[in-house]
Amino acid sequence: MNILDLTIDKLYNNTKSDFFHKSNYYLILCTPEELKELKDPLEIDETTFGECLEFDDSMKLDVFDKYDFISLNTYKLENKNLYLEEINMYLADRFILVVVNNDNFLYKYINDVIENKHTLSKTPIVSLYKINYLIFKKIMLNGFENLELVEDIILEMEDNIMNGVYDNNISDINHVRSLTRTIVKNTRPLLYIGDRILKENIRYMKASDIKKHNIENLQGIDFGIDKLYSFAISTRELADKLLDIYSSQVTEETNSLITKLTILTGIASPLTIITGIYGMNFKYMPELNYHYAYPITIFFMILIIVISLLIFKIKKIL
């Protein structure tokens, strides 16, 4: 747990001391397990407290009298597998509390902000609202970074399919399509949250004295969310096109095989006729008594094969 008192610029690593003063401003970072220590000092309600302790798929923005509660699902791509991670935030007039597992990208980012303070303002209230903007910005950047990784996987698969189709292609395609659908599903609620932010339904847009510091940044966040969702949709469409590419390659290979079989049939037809003729049981076939009849017949059969191949080559069928 890390607690930064923005008013007196003091860092706490636990709640044993009486750290919380209602007149000060705070940035607080903790894990779900550590939230129990903050429940009473920050007057956190039972409903959101329970939601922070267990992972769920719901994403929401709830407005309370004392704070606004935001729950988001972010995602992380590792070894071509997608892992969902929950982020819960309490945005109050005098504190921002971020509840997230310590292996989450946002935990590391906020911990860096707290320890280095290089992005903070000398005015505590401005710092608080700036942190709000930085958190949303980091969440968006994480989304873009992971979408780019998924896009790279799709493009790599596309190149591999163009070089040849294999039995595992379908399972790989279905896997990456599932990834993109999960990403779209967990990106869509950000549109709703971004719209509510700009419609002044959260406290950081209601305070007229700070609105001028925050409105341009939050408008940028809303625009970025739209871009992120559009990127997610285009990535999903790109994944869906892999099926078309696969089907096209399968059809092309099938057509190529049929063409080769047709060529083989065309070459074999005259040979079949010759062997059919000499397989007849006629009593009088004059060339049967000729000493060189057999090698001459074989020669003509080979000549037919060579001429047929040359014709197919000239016609660019082979």
Side-chain angles (χ1 to χ4, degrees):
M1 178 187 300
N2 278 326
I3 304 169
L4 177 61
D5 188 328
L6 297 167
T7 305
I8 61 175
D9 195 22
K10 185 174 181 180
L11 181 64
Y12 303 90
N13 297 115
N14 57 66
T15 58
K16 291 181 180 179
S17 58
D18 186 16
F19 79 94
F20 189 70
H21 302 280
K22 293 185 177 181
S23 60
N24 291 0
Y25 295 88
Y26 297 89
L27 171 60
I28 307 170
L29 173 67
C30 74
T31 63
E33 294 76 19
E34 294 169 337
L35 183 62
K36 298 174 184 177
E37 301 177 34
L38 298 167
K39 182 176 181 295
D40 293 333
L42 302 182
E43 300 179 7
I44 294 173
D45 68 289
E46 289 292 342
T47 303
T48 60
F49 176 73
E51 291 177 355
C52 290
L53 297 183
E54 295 183 3
F55 175 82
D56 58 63
D57 291 334
S58 63
M59 301 172 67
K60 63 179 70 175
L61 166 57
D62 290 334
V63 179
F64 297 89
D65 292 335
K66 295 181 179 180
Y67 49 74
D68 298 334
F69 176 72
I70 298 179
S71 181
L72 300 173
N73 289 335
T74 60
Y75 42 86
K76 176 175 63 175
L77 189 72
E78 286 185 356
N79 300 320
K80 297 185 178 181
N81 290 312
L82 196 70
Y83 300 95
L84 292 180
E85 301 175 310
E86 187 175 75
I87 294 173
N88 296 300
M89 292 183 289
Y90 292 85
L91 309 178
D93 290 330
R94 292 188 174 273
F95 69 83
I96 291 179
L97 167 60
V98 179
V99 184
V100 65
N101 290 322
N102 54 19
D103 58 347
N104 186 278
F105 72 93
L106 193 60
Y107 187 98
K108 299 171 185 176
Y109 175 73
I110 296 178
N111 189 57
D112 179 64
V113 171
I114 289 174
E115 291 183 353
N116 298 316
K117 307 171 192 170
H118 53 76
T119 58
L120 303 182
S121 169
K122 293 181 180 179
T123 307
I125 189 170
V126 174
S127 291
L128 196 68
Y129 298 150
K130 186 177 181 182
I131 290 165
N132 172 59
Y133 159 72
L134 291 174
I135 289 172
F136 279 107
K137 182 180 178 182
K138 185 63 178 178
I139 291 172
M140 280 197 316
L141 288 175
N142 174 75
F144 278 111
E145 289 169 0
N146 283 279
L147 274 172
E148 287 173 356
L149 293 175
V150 174
E151 187 180 49
D152 290 341
I153 292 173
I154 294 172
L155 295 176
E156 182 183 354
M157 289 178 61
E158 184 177 321
D159 291 339
N160 292 336
I161 292 172
M162 293 298 292
N163 291 330
V165 294
Y166 301 95
D167 294 337
N168 63 337
N169 285 147
I170 285 294
S171 61
D172 290 342
I173 291 172
N174 288 334
H175 176 67
V176 77
R177 290 177 69 218
S178 175
L179 294 184
T180 57
R181 274 158 174 72
T182 302
I183 289 174
V184 170
K185 176 184 175 183
N186 287 277
T187 303
R188 190 180 295 115
L190 287 174
L191 295 172
Y192 159 75
I193 292 174
D195 288 342
R196 286 197 64 185
I197 288 173
L198 286 184
K199 289 178 181 176
E200 303 188 17
N201 284 329
I202 66 168
R203 62 191 64 243
Y204 289 0
M205 292 293 288
K206 292 178 180 177
S208 59
D209 58 336
I210 201 64
K211 183 175 179 179
K212 60 182 180 181
H213 295 283
N214 225 25
I215 183 135
E216 185 176 340
N217 288 337
L218 292 181
Q219 284 175 339
I221 290 296
D222 186 56
F223 179 75
I225 290 173
D226 289 338
K227 289 294 184 183
L228 178 63
Y229 185 66
S230 297
F231 189 11
I233 292 293
S234 65
T235 304
R236 186 184 66 182
E237 292 172 350
L238 195 63
D240 290 339
K241 287 180 181 178
L242 287 174
L243 276 178
D244 296 332
I245 296 172
Y246 177 80
S247 299
S248 176
Q249 286 299 107
V250 170
T251 302
E252 185 176 332
E253 290 193 4
T254 302
N255 290 339
S256 176
L257 179 60
I258 292 173
T259 300
K260 292 175 181 177
L261 291 174
T262 303
I263 291 171
L264 181 62
T265 302
I267 294 173
S269 293
L271 305 181
T272 303
I273 294 172
I274 293 173
T275 55
I277 290 173
Y278 286 101
M280 297 177 183
N281 293 319
F282 291 114
K283 185 176 180 180
Y284 298 104
M285 296 182 75
E287 63 271 23
L288 293 179
N289 295 320
Y290 183 57
H291 183 72
Y292 297 104
Y294 177 74
I296 290 174
T297 303
I298 295 297
F299 170 76
F300 273 107
M301 292 175 74
I302 294 173
L303 186 62
I304 289 170
I305 294 173
V306 172
I307 292 173
S308 297
L309 290 174
L310 288 174
I311 292 173
F312 287 128
K313 282 285 187 182
I314 293 171
K315 296 289 185 179
K316 297 182 179 180
I317 298 176
L318 276 177

